[in-house]
Amino acid sequence: MADIEKLVDQLSALTVLEAADLAKALEEKWGVSAAAAVAVAGPAAAAAPAAEEQTEFDVILTGDGGNKIAVIKEVRAITQLGLTEAKALVESAPKAIKEGVNKAEAEDIKAKILAAGGTVELK
């Protein structure tokens, strides 16, 4: 155990250049590469923090695509707004049509607006 501690102390005293030379010498002697060890640890480290799937979406109208009247009709049907409010919403794009909806509803709204000729973004 004392030999290991002595070796650790000696390695700790090395300069950065000396440590790099040591790494090169060990790579040549043992036929290994320090980069290979990092590559092996990479996928395991990347898999650890699992990304949470988004459950709530905001449907943002980004434009009317030149079909303002058709898009206003769809916005009215989706939001239950009056004609004036729906027209104001479409004209003030980018604007949220609905917020905090589930994925299925968000995709349904997006499909309806795209079919009417508008452009939509899900956030």
Side-chain angles (χ1 to χ4, degrees):
M1 188 71 168
D3 291 335
I4 293 174
E5 290 176 11
K6 184 177 178 183
L7 182 59
V8 170
D9 289 337
Q10 289 174 343
L11 291 175
S12 298
L14 293 177
T15 65
V16 174
L17 291 176
E18 292 171 332
D21 289 341
L22 175 63
K24 286 179 187 175
L26 292 175
E27 287 176 357
E28 290 173 7
K29 173 96 173 164
W30 294 335
V32 296
S33 173
V38 173
V40 171
E52 289 187 30
E53 186 175 334
Q54 186 175 354
T55 57
E56 290 189 353
F57 295 86
D58 294 341
V59 182
I60 311 295
L61 176 68
T62 56
D64 61 20
N67 296 320
K68 186 191 263 184
I69 294 172
V71 173
I72 290 171
K73 286 180 181 179
E74 279 304 322
V75 168
R76 285 188 68 200
I78 293 166
T79 62
Q80 305 301 316
L81 292 174
L83 179 60
T84 306
E85 293 86 3
K87 181 177 182 266
L89 189 147
V90 171
E91 290 175 343
S92 65
K95 189 84 170 180
I97 297 175
K98 280 208 169 183
E99 297 177 334
V101 296
N102 64 36
K103 186 174 183 175
E105 185 177 356
E107 291 292 338
D108 183 49
I109 293 169
K110 180 178 179 180
K112 289 178 181 178
I113 297 296
L114 291 176
T119 56
V120 176
E121 184 177 288
L122 300 180
K123 290 189 178 185

